Each structure stands twice: as structure tokens, then as C-alpha cells.
Amino acid sequence: MSAETTSASPGALTPFGQPIGAPVPGWQGAASLPDALLEGSRVRVEPLTVKRHGGALFDALGLSGDAPGDGPQARWTYLGGVPYADRAGFDAWLAARAASRDPRFHAIVEKESGRALGLASYLAIVPEHGSIEVGHLHFSPRLQRTAAATEALALMMRHAFALGYRRCEWKCDALNAPSRRAATRLGFRFEGIFRQHRVVAGHNRDTAWFSILDTEWPALEAILRRWLAPDNFDARGRQRLSLSALTARASALD
């Protein structure tokens, strides 16, 4: 049974014969999101601070090395353009991110080097309904498409579901093919397109919505643990089992 069918199926009828959703026994909301350090074998996901992470993040995400198809300019295409012009602007931008409570920004720190290589956040945090989003991802080239990046996102999802959230969301520009592929690879289910959802830097943005539900998370977490296990990678760090294949197989069994 698909996630869409489960969510849409009526769970009961009112005395007036109207279908309503299934009951959620004892629901009192998810826990408020605390500041927490999340630790894996490759990375730590730490609450963002300018003092601790600013220098490393500027080196990782700053303004140099804008190669064709990559680099700071390209990485900001779907987010409205680079929001700073120099180190002072970067520090001011990062300070505002660190002070924000929704989105709640975290630095992704490589354990081996101790350096911050990227940013991620929780946002759209609604404890009373048990809904939370993972987004505002800014990964340096060194972090992109690595097991460390996958582990960071797995840690964030695990933390959210452990706090009692029922739904973890992923949203992106509908034209952002790499982000849509990343969502599917991680096991998020595509839900649809919000048309003309936003205007970003003077351009229309349709938004693609994805989600993982708490009922889907245990099986998905097992897949992520299996994929992240050291024996899934050869001496060169190449995966033996494909995460995309594992999550696709699990989705097909529903």
C-alpha cells in the first residue's frame, strides 16, 4: 500500500456519515526541537555558531573556484543567488542563520578533519502536528555525493523521528533535478508539485514536495544503516550496494 493511499484512506465516519482520518491515539504533539549534537561515524551535525564554524564554512562554501556547472554561483541557482559578496557579508549572513530558530541551522563537520564542510537545517517545524522539514542544504564539493553527506541527513531524520515527529518533508524547486534525485535516493516519496508556489529572484518556482512518514522510517533506517556500513565500501570508498536501488526496492514492496 502506498504512502499516498494510506494518508488518504478514511479511518472513520462522523455521525453525519462523513469520512474522516484515522484516529491518532494519545497524540499530544512531537517534542520541541532541542539544540543537539548528532554524531555518526563520519560526521557530526552541530548547532551552527559563527565562532566555531565560520572560518571553515567560508573556506568550504565561499566565493572561489566557480567551475563550470559547479562552485558557489551554481550551487545557489535554485535559492535565488549567492547572498553575500565578501567575507564580511558571509559572516553577517551566517550569523543570521545561526540566530534563526526556524529554520534551525546546523553545521556538518567532518570527523576526520574536524572542519565544517556544509550546512543543513530543520525548518517548517510544527510540533503540534508532528511535521518537520530537512532543507537549506549547502554542501561543499568535498561533501557532495559522499557517504558523509548521506550520514548527516540520516542523523537528522533519525533525530526528528525520535522526537515524535510523524512526517519529515523535503521540498525543492521542481526544476532542480539533482535535489529531486537526492530525495528519491534517500527514500522520500514524491507527493506532487505546488504550481507557482514562489517567486525566486524574479522567476517562477514550482515546488516539488516529498515526505517520509514515521511508519516508513524503521524500514528506511535499516536500509540506510546497511548502506552506510563500512563493509559496503571498497578500499577506494566505492559503494558495493546502491542506495538508490535499495530504497527503490523497498518502495516497490509497499
Side-chain angles (χ1 to χ4, degrees), residues 33-226:
L33 190 68
D35 285 329
L37 186 152
L38 312 177
E39 188 155 359
S41 62
R42 300 169 177 84
V43 295
R44 294 189 304 271
V45 181
E46 304 177 352
L48 175 66
T49 71
V50 177
K51 181 177 180 180
R52 177 170 174 78
H53 305 118
L57 284 173
F58 184 74
D59 291 343
L61 303 173
L63 296 163
S64 62
D66 198 18
D70 197 2
Q73 303 296 330
R75 289 197 299 271
W76 282 91
T77 294
Y78 296 107
L79 296 170
V82 183
Y84 45 83
D86 52 27
R87 176 60 190 272
F90 177 85
D91 286 348
W93 174 81
L94 198 67
R97 307 284 83 71
S100 173
R101 306 311 287 169
D102 187 351
R104 185 84 63 88
F105 279 85
H106 291 69
I108 300 173
V109 178
E110 182 182 55
K111 292 185 73 171
E112 183 178 1
S113 67
R115 295 185 64 79
L117 298 179
L119 288 171
S121 81
Y122 293 108
L123 66 156
I125 305 164
V126 190
E128 59 267 35
H129 297 304
S131 178
I132 195 168
E133 180 181 348
V134 174
H136 288 294
L137 307 180
H138 303 283
F139 291 175
S140 69
R142 180 167 167 177
L143 186 60
Q144 290 173 355
R145 297 179 290 277
T146 65
T150 299
E151 182 181 57
L153 294 169
L155 288 168
M156 294 183 71
M157 291 188 285
R158 182 181 304 148
H159 183 56
F161 286 117
L163 291 170
Y165 286 85
R166 305 171 61 231
R167 169 183 172 86
C168 184
E169 298 176 337
W170 179 293
K171 305 186 188 87
C172 64
D173 189 307
L175 297 175
N176 187 348
S179 184
R180 293 181 66 164
R181 285 195 301 269
T184 302
R185 174 179 174 272
L186 287 164
F188 284 84
R189 309 289 184 89
F190 176 63
E191 294 184 328
I193 304 291
F194 275 39
R195 300 178 300 162
Q196 294 189 184
H197 184 219
R198 295 183 180 178
V199 176
V200 177
H203 293 265
N204 176 65
R205 168 174 152 162
D206 295 346
T207 298
W209 285 54
F210 300 79
S211 72
I212 297 169
L213 305 184
D214 56 351
T215 52
E216 299 160 348
W217 173 245
L220 181 56
E221 182 181 23
I223 288 171
L224 287 164
R225 287 186 184 277
R226 180 184 180 193

